[in-house]
Amino acid sequence: MRALRLLLALASTHAWKRHTSAAAIHRRKRRFVRGGAWGFGKNKDSAAEADNATTTSEGGMSQSQIDEALSVVPVFCLADPEGRPVLMTAPEDKDDATKKPLQAFFTDVNVAQAHAARIKELSGDDKLDLKLAVVELGRVLSAGEPEDRKVSLMADPRELHVARQLVLKGAGFRDTNSTGTSDKVVDFSSEASVKKECKAHCPDGVDLDQGVPLFTLKDLNATVQGDDVIQPWFLSFADLVRAYVNSTGSSDEEEAASGLERLLMEGGVVVGTLDSVLAAARGGHTRRAFMIPPASSLAVMRQQQQAPAAAPKAAPSA
């Protein structure tokens, strides 16, 4: 967690605030099961992990660099008051022994909190007090699939919708209510319509139906550790917008907004997924990647640091 604490310290120097409502969560009702055991540290080959620590593929990121990039990203899962993970099962699967329960990890704290509230509502137990356990993203990705459950990384539905909109804008689509000459038209307010059209226009290797969306600008980069140039990838598009506005140094909000609109129209915003960005970084097809967690998640982490006694327990190793 050292790298995560460092990122929190850096983030605290910026006036990044995220004003968003509670996220819409999956409306499909699930039965929750308490009493699971944490599944981390299993199915890992320590020798192979050590061998890969400094391995670089054709100038790409080494495994140790990838681990470092992922270590600064907190993800959240639900735990009962005793600290045990909440496992969920679809109602139609509750009597099917072949169906594994789901343990969900959320990339955005607001989505995790909304999910906890929904579970409490469905349970009918007003005293149910679910906690949020915080885990480094790299730990989840490297743990492997436990035998007793499915593990899923849940993206923020709002970010997925924005990512699909950006892909379609880059492909020349315009909104049904806008004027223009393009014959590519879609209702950008409709998640279903945007999702359907986006399937045929995502870049190679980018699967927004399965992956976690990431956002960056082609011309946005930073220099760290000497002359090493990195490409920042944001899990929140709103945070990317704020970073762009700050990078312009302009005190004129209209000028900054105009510049951003120009980038959107000219395809300056790049959409990827966690899988596609890591694959490109490993293969040396892009700059060294650095992940920027949602500002809202970092704010929660700061609160926990300031009040450690009230903070939920992090997931222990098995």
Side-chain angles (χ1 to χ4, degrees):
M1 300 290 282
R2 181 180 179 183
L4 188 55
R5 288 194 293 270
L6 175 61
L7 182 63
L8 286 170
L10 292 174
S12 65
T13 64
H14 299 280
W16 288 2
K17 295 183 180 179
R18 193 178 189 203
H19 303 282
T20 52
S21 59
I25 64 173
H26 296 282
R27 293 178 175 81
R28 185 183 184 189
K29 294 183 179 180
R30 289 185 178 272
R31 181 175 65 91
F32 71 94
V33 180
R34 287 177 284 176
W38 297 101
F40 299 102
K42 298 180 180 179
N43 302 326
K44 298 177 69 176
D45 187 329
S46 299
E49 186 176 323
D51 289 340
N52 290 332
T54 57
T55 299
T56 302
S57 174
E58 298 180 357
M61 289 178 68
S62 67
Q63 187 59 46
S64 62
Q65 290 173 329
I66 290 174
D67 291 341
E68 180 183 5
L70 297 176
S71 70
V72 301
V73 182
V75 292
F76 304 84
C77 61
L78 306 182
D80 66 12
E82 287 73 39
R84 297 171 298 188
V86 172
L87 307 180
M88 295 173 285
T89 304
E92 62 269 23
D93 296 336
K94 65 180 181 179
D95 296 323
D96 188 344
T98 65
K99 300 291 185 179
K100 295 182 180 180
L102 172 70
Q103 183 177 8
F105 291 87
F106 302 91
T107 59
D108 187 280
V109 67
N110 292 326
V111 179
Q113 290 172 336
H115 209 95
R118 181 59 173 163
I119 287 177
K120 181 176 181 178
E121 178 185 345
L122 293 175
S123 72
D125 183 359
D126 293 336
K127 296 182 179 180
L128 180 62
D129 184 23
L130 297 181
K131 307 294 185 182
L132 290 185
V134 185
V135 188
E136 293 175 5
L137 174 58
R139 193 177 173 194
V140 174
L141 297 181
S142 64
E145 187 82 12
E147 296 180 358
D148 62 340
R149 78 199 70 166
K150 293 180 180 179
V151 174
S152 179
L153 192 60
M154 311 292 283
D156 185 337
R158 298 163 301 182
E159 304 296 351
L160 282 169
H161 185 53
V162 170
R164 292 183 176 113
Q165 288 178 320
L166 291 171
V167 168
L168 293 181
K169 283 181 179 292
F173 278 80
R174 62 179 178 86
D175 187 69
T176 52
N177 297 318
S178 69
T179 58
T181 58
S182 175
D183 58 353
K184 298 178 180 179
V185 181
V186 67
D187 181 1
F188 278 114
S189 65
S190 169
E191 290 189 27
S193 298
V194 168
K195 182 177 181 179
K196 180 180 178 180
E197 289 289 353
C198 186
K199 288 180 181 294
H201 295 88
C202 278
D204 291 341
V206 176
D207 185 355
L208 290 173
D209 289 340
Q210 300 294 329
V212 174
L214 297 175
F215 309 90
T216 193
L217 298 177
K218 290 180 179 178
D219 297 327
L220 184 64
N221 58 65
T223 302
V224 296
Q225 298 178 355
D227 297 328
D228 197 1
V229 178
I230 66 170
Q231 184 76 39
W233 288 87
F234 292 76
L235 275 84
S236 163
F237 180 66
D239 292 342
L240 171 60
V241 171
R242 276 186 284 273
Y244 168 77
V245 172
N246 290 339
S247 71
T248 63
S250 174
S251 58
D252 188 334
E253 292 186 2
E254 290 188 4
E255 181 181 342
S258 176
L260 179 63
E261 181 64 24
R262 185 168 59 254
L263 284 171
L264 292 174
M265 296 300 294
E266 296 175 355
V269 179
V270 181
V271 176
T273 61
L274 181 61
D275 289 340
S276 69
V277 170
L278 291 180
R282 286 191 181 99
H285 305 306
T286 184
R287 294 191 189 106
R288 178 176 172 183
F290 187 76
M291 311 298 173
I292 309 294
S296 55
S297 297
L298 292 178
V300 169
M301 297 296 294
R302 281 195 295 269
Q303 291 172 2
Q304 291 185 6
Q305 285 189 345
Q306 294 168 358
K313 297 179 180 179
S317 298

